[in-house]
Amino acid sequence: MLHGSRNRRHWLALMAGGTMLATPGLSLLAQATLEVLDPRQAAARLARRGHVLLMRHAQTVAGTGDPPGFRLDDCATQRNLSDQGRAQARAIGEALRAAAIVPVKVQSSAWCRCRETAELAFGDYTVLPALNSFFEDRSSAPAQLEALREAGRRVPVQDTIVWVTHQVVISALAGRFTSQGEILAVPAGDADWTPAFSIRA
């Protein structure tokens, strides 16, 4: 319980005024409504221009952050997907494929819940360390976010890629809170990282 309380305090600190890591000018507490599309609706938009699809990992077992003694190289020490989350990840992948949304590349955080989401939804993926969570330690956040922004700028405007990552990373990068399994679509090459719409399968 103490661990969860510490995580919640840390999360609130992330959202606090000047210390917030999200895009300047955006607030997670008061933000404009974002259009929510199903995969078939999203496919028409993606066909006109490539996007970076920022996907939060699928549903996990109850908890916040990771348990005490967490190790990145040992999934048993982490907060992982629930059975519902595994089914959700598979369903998301099936819905995207049915809508002919086939990313040219899928990259994931090294956390097991993200890797399993990527594998179940898309099959092939690679790990991109810049997508790793900094929920417990913000010291690496500025370098990670700059690396992601630079990688996003290099995405060809005709390509759509997927980044499977964590709420804290998505919020800091795009200024939006996402539910587990939700996808934010950011136009490829967008320097401001402003989401165009959300996809919920």
Side-chain angles (χ1 to χ4, degrees):
M1 181 64 69
L2 289 176
H3 182 74
S5 297
R6 186 179 75 249
N7 284 338
R8 283 190 289 274
R9 288 196 300 271
H10 181 78
W11 177 240
L12 290 173
L14 280 176
M15 297 194 295
T19 62
M20 182 176 165
L21 290 171
T23 305
L26 291 177
S27 168
L28 296 179
L29 302 179
Q31 53 187 326
T33 300
L34 191 66
E35 187 177 14
V36 178
L37 305 180
D38 65 35
R40 292 191 181 280
Q41 293 170 319
R45 301 275 192 95
L46 299 179
R48 295 197 293 268
R49 178 177 178 175
H51 286 71
V52 177
L53 301 183
L54 293 169
M55 180 178 182
R56 185 179 176 188
H57 58 74
Q59 182 178 334
T60 65
V61 296
T64 304
D66 285 288
F70 156 83
R71 293 208 329 262
L72 190 56
D73 63 351
D74 186 354
C75 292
T77 68
Q78 302 178 31
R79 179 168 58 91
N80 295 308
L81 298 188
S82 62
D83 289 341
Q84 293 89 343
R86 294 183 182 95
Q88 180 190 30
R90 293 188 189 96
I92 290 170
E94 291 168 1
L96 294 179
R97 285 188 292 276
I101 299 174
V102 181
V104 300
K105 178 167 58 178
V106 177
Q107 294 175 298
S108 171
S109 157
W111 262 246
C112 294
R113 54 185 173 269
C114 291
R115 290 165 47 201
E116 189 172 19
T117 297
E119 182 177 4
L120 292 173
F122 302 102
D124 294 333
Y125 71 94
T126 58
V127 169
L128 179 63
L131 293 170
N132 288 355
S133 176
F134 43 76
F135 189 84
E136 294 287 352
D137 180 6
R138 291 175 55 193
S139 62
S140 65
Q144 285 182 232
L145 294 172
E146 182 51 40
L148 291 174
R149 292 184 183 107
E150 178 58 30
R153 285 191 286 267
R154 295 197 302 267
V155 176
V157 294
Q158 73 274 14
D159 288 350
T160 288
I161 69 170
V162 173
W163 285 349
V164 183
T165 186
H166 308 262
Q167 172 55 48
V168 67
V169 177
I170 295 173
S171 295
L173 192 61
R176 287 275 172 177
F177 185 89
T178 49
S179 58
Q180 294 180 116
E182 185 179 357
I183 300 170
L184 292 185
V186 179
D190 188 308
D192 294 330
W193 281 93
T194 303
F197 53 90
S198 168
I199 305 173
R200 296 184 188 176

